[in-house]
Amino acid sequence: MTTVAIRGTFFDFVDDPWKHVGDEQAAARFHQDGLMVVTDGVIKAFGPYDKIAAAHPGVEITHIKDRIIVPGFIDGHIHLPQTRVLGAYGEQLLPWLQKWVYPEELKYRDRNYAREGVKRFLDALLAAGTTTCQAFTSSSPVSTEELFEEASRRNMRVIAGLTGIDRNAPADFIDTPDNFYRDSKRLIAQYHNKGRNLYAITPRFAFGASPELLRACQRLKHEHPDCWVNTHISENPAECSGVLVEHPDCQDYLGVYEKFDLVGPKFSGGHGVYLSNNEFRRMSKKGAAVVFCPCSNLFLGSGLFRLGRATDPEHRVKMSFGTDVGGGNRFSMISVLDDAYKVGMCNNTLLDGSIDPTRKDLAEAERNKLSPYRGFWSITLGGAEGLYIDDKLGNFEPGKEADFVALDPNGGQAAQAWHQSLIADGAGPRTMDEAASMLFAVMMVGDDRCVDETWVMGKRLYKKS
C-alpha cells in the first residue's frame, strides 16, 4: 500500500447550503492548516494538521502552499465529441445540431480520430479542475470505448454510455433500436463498474428517440438496474414542442421518460429550462436529477433555468451542474458558476415583485442567489449527490476517493489579486468566511486560470505551467 499526505488550506462541504438559509457556513468545513492522508487513492484521515500529523508519523507530506484545496469538480452534463465545435456561432439548439454537431460527431466513428478527441477532452477537463464527468459520447460505440479506456488509464471516474438516436438527425448518423440495445449490452458488460467506470443508458433526447428506442432503454434499465440513465429534457422551446409531436400520447416532456420507466434514482435530465412546476414535483418524488447548464442555455439562447424552483424545500430536486460542451462554450465549472450566478440574479429580479407583483415570491427569489457556498457545493458534494456517487467522492470524508483541486485565488484576471487583498490583506484565508469570499471572487472574477493543480486518486495529473 502507498500512503501519502497533502498539507494545505482545505474547504469542503458536509451538507447542502440551501438547507441552511441564513447560516450557510453550517454546511461547510474549513481547515486553514489541514492534512489529508491518502492510502492507495482513498482518504484515510482528514483534519487539522497538528492532530492528523501526530497520528501518522513518518508519512510523506506534500505541502501545497498559498492555495485553497477543494474537492475535484464534477461536470454532470458534457459531450465528448463536441470538444472541437465549442463556440460555433449563431444558432439555437436544433439548427446548431444539424449544422455543427452531427457532422463533427460522425468523425468519432474513426477510432484514431476518437482516440485523439478523447485525449484532448480529458486534458481539457483536468486543466479546468474537473475530475469526474457524466458524458455523452456518440451514436458509434467506438467513442464510448475510447473514452472508458483513456479514463481508465488516467484513473478518472467517468459515467458514460452509447448515445442513442434514431429520429430527426442525418440518415448516416442515426442507428436502429436493435443495434443500440445490442451494442449497449456489450459495452455494459465490458465497462460498467470496471475500475472507476460507470455506465449510463443514454437516449440522446426524446425528440430523437422513437418509442422503440425508448423501449430498448427501458429493457436495458430493467436488465441492469444499477446503471445510470442520462438524457436531455426541456432545453429549448422548439425541441419541447417537437417532443410532443413525436410522442403525442404524452402530456409533457418528463412524461415521455416516465412512460418507459426511466425516471428515478440515477436518472439525469440535462437543462430542464422549461420544466413545469408539476414536472419538478414528480422528479423530486422519484429521486431524479436535473442538470443545470447555464453556459449552454445562454450561448444557445435556450432560456433561464429556474434555480429557485428546483431548490424548493417542499419539492427539492436533486441537481448537478454541467458545462454542456460544446453548447457550453467553456470546459470550466468555475465559468459555469459565473453564468449560474447571473441566471439566478435575473430570476431573482423576475420574482422580487418589481416587474410583475403577481409573480412575487421572495423565498424563491432568494433561492436563486448563488452564494459561494451554494455554488461550490453544487459542483462538488452536491454534484455527487445529484449523480448518486456521493458515497464515493464529493468531499474529504475518510473512505472517499482523493480527487481534489488546488485553486490559486489570485490566478485569474490581472486585477484579481488586488481584489482579494480586500478580503485577506494579501495573505491566504484565515477563516471560513474569508475563504468563501475569496472563492466567490474565483467564481466571478477568475476562471480556470485559477486551477493550479488537479489531483486524481491522490496523484497529481495536472499542474499549471
Side-chain angles (χ1 to χ4, degrees):
M1 294 198 306
T2 301
T3 298
V4 298
I6 295 87
R7 181 180 183 181
T9 297
F10 291 86
F11 190 103
D12 73 336
F13 294 89
V14 295
D15 202 3
D16 173 1
W18 270 283
K19 295 179 180 177
H20 300 271
V21 176
D23 184 25
E24 294 181 12
Q25 288 190 357
R29 178 168 49 185
F30 174 72
H31 294 298
Q32 182 187 20
D33 187 12
L35 188 68
M36 180 168 60
V37 180
V38 179
T39 299
D40 291 343
V42 175
I43 299 169
K44 183 177 181 180
F46 174 67
Y49 173 79
D50 291 342
K51 177 182 177 181
I52 302 300
H56 297 84
V59 67
E60 178 186 345
I61 296 176
T62 297
H63 193 176
I64 301 177
K65 299 179 181 180
D66 304 319
R67 303 291 181 260
I68 301 175
I69 301 171
V70 298
F73 301 149
I74 298 168
D75 190 332
H77 185 106
I78 189 169
H79 293 259
L80 154 68
Q82 294 177 19
T83 300
R84 203 173 184 182
V85 297
L86 79 170
Y89 169 73
E91 305 289 350
Q92 292 199 358
L93 174 66
L94 297 183
W96 175 79
L97 289 170
Q98 297 287 342
K99 180 177 180 179
W100 293 104
V101 172
Y102 295 144
E104 175 64 17
E105 291 195 8
L106 273 171
K107 299 174 185 175
Y108 280 72
R109 291 181 174 180
D110 178 83
R111 190 170 296 277
N112 289 331
Y113 192 90
R115 185 169 294 156
E116 179 183 2
V118 165
K119 290 178 179 178
R120 291 178 180 272
F121 173 78
L122 294 178
D123 285 348
L125 287 177
L126 290 168
T130 299
T131 56
T132 295
C133 70
Q134 179 174 240
F136 291 80
T137 59
S138 74
S139 56
S140 169
V142 169
S143 62
T144 307
E145 294 163 359
E146 289 300 320
L147 176 58
F148 280 134
E149 292 290 343
E150 183 62 24
S152 295
R153 282 189 280 272
R154 303 181 191 217
N155 210 14
M156 295 176 68
R157 184 166 289 285
V158 167
I159 306 171
L162 178 68
T163 302
I165 184 169
D166 68 342
R167 284 185 174 182
N168 294 316
D172 55 350
F173 187 82
I174 63 176
D175 202 359
T176 68
D178 287 344
N179 286 345
F180 172 77
Y181 173 81
R182 183 197 64 235
D183 290 336
S184 297
K185 288 285 287 186
R186 176 180 63 81
L187 292 166
I188 290 169
Q190 188 170 353
Y191 293 109
H192 184 48
N193 279 323
K194 302 298 193 299
R196 301 185 79 195
N197 295 325
L198 298 170
Y199 197 89
I201 300 158
T202 310
R204 188 180 194 114
F205 56 173
F207 182 66
S210 68
E212 292 75 21
L213 179 62
L214 291 169
R215 275 194 286 273
C217 294
Q218 179 181 24
R219 184 180 174 190
L220 288 165
K221 182 61 176 173
H222 287 174
E223 293 170 352
H224 305 279
D226 63 331
C227 280
W228 278 248
V229 177
N230 183 31
T231 191
H232 295 77
I233 191 167
S234 299
E235 178 179 359
N236 170 279
E239 171 218 14
C240 293
S241 300
V243 163
L244 297 184
V245 172
E246 296 291 342
H247 301 274
D249 57 331
C250 297
Q251 296 298 310
D252 54 33
Y253 207 133
L254 182 66
V256 178
Y257 299 127
E258 289 174 323
K259 178 181 176 181
F260 296 96
D261 300 324
L262 298 175
V263 181
K266 297 185 179 181
F267 172 93
S268 290
H271 301 286
V273 175
Y274 296 99
L275 287 171
S276 66
N277 292 352
N278 183 262
E279 287 173 292
F280 273 125
R281 287 192 291 269
R282 282 148 51 200
M283 291 184 76
S284 173
K285 184 176 181 180
K286 293 184 178 181
V290 64
V291 188
F292 180 21
C293 303
C295 298
S296 173
N297 299 155
L298 296 175
F299 182 77
L300 295 176
S302 298
L304 305 179
F305 175 75
R306 295 190 296 157
L307 182 60
R309 175 56 52 181
T311 52
D312 179 358
E314 293 186 12
H315 306 285
R316 182 61 186 273
V317 178
K318 287 186 175 292
M319 181 172 58
S320 59
F321 285 21
T323 60
D324 192 36
V325 164
N329 54 324
R330 294 175 178 86
F331 272 85
S332 171
M333 294 303 294
I334 295 172
S335 295
V336 168
L337 295 183
D338 177 5
D339 280 349
Y341 176 85
K342 295 167 185 173
V343 168
M345 290 301 288
C346 289
N347 284 330
N348 179 270
T349 300
L350 293 171
L351 293 166
D352 69 6
S354 60
I355 297 174
D356 181 357
T358 65
R359 294 185 61 189
K360 184 176 180 179
D361 186 331
L362 294 181
E364 184 174 338
E366 192 282 331
R367 291 195 300 271
N368 276 287
K369 289 187 173 181
L370 196 70
S371 69
Y373 294 96
R374 293 173 177 181
F376 278 90
W377 175 83
S378 296
I379 64 172
T380 58
L381 182 60
E385 290 180 0
L387 295 178
Y388 286 85
I389 53 175
D390 53 299
D391 60 323
K392 299 175 173 62
L393 45 79
N395 64 7
F396 297 134
E397 283 296 300
K400 293 192 178 182
E401 298 160 347
D403 294 352
F404 61 90
V405 181
L407 294 175
D408 178 0
N410 300 314
Q413 299 181 44
Q416 186 160 342
W418 199 34
H419 167 80
Q420 297 286 31
S421 70
L422 284 172
I423 300 166
D425 299 326
R430 292 157 295 212
T431 66
M432 181 184 292
D433 185 62
E434 286 185 354
S437 295
M438 296 183 86
L439 287 172
F440 185 70
V442 169
M443 257 172 75
M444 304 309 302
V445 187
D447 51 29
D448 58 0
R449 287 174 293 178
C450 294
V451 175
D452 189 57
E453 301 183 21
T454 304
W455 293 59
V456 171
M457 295 290 281
K459 294 183 178 180
R460 187 172 60 200
L461 296 193
Y462 169 81
K463 174 73 169 113
K464 183 171 66 175
S465 58

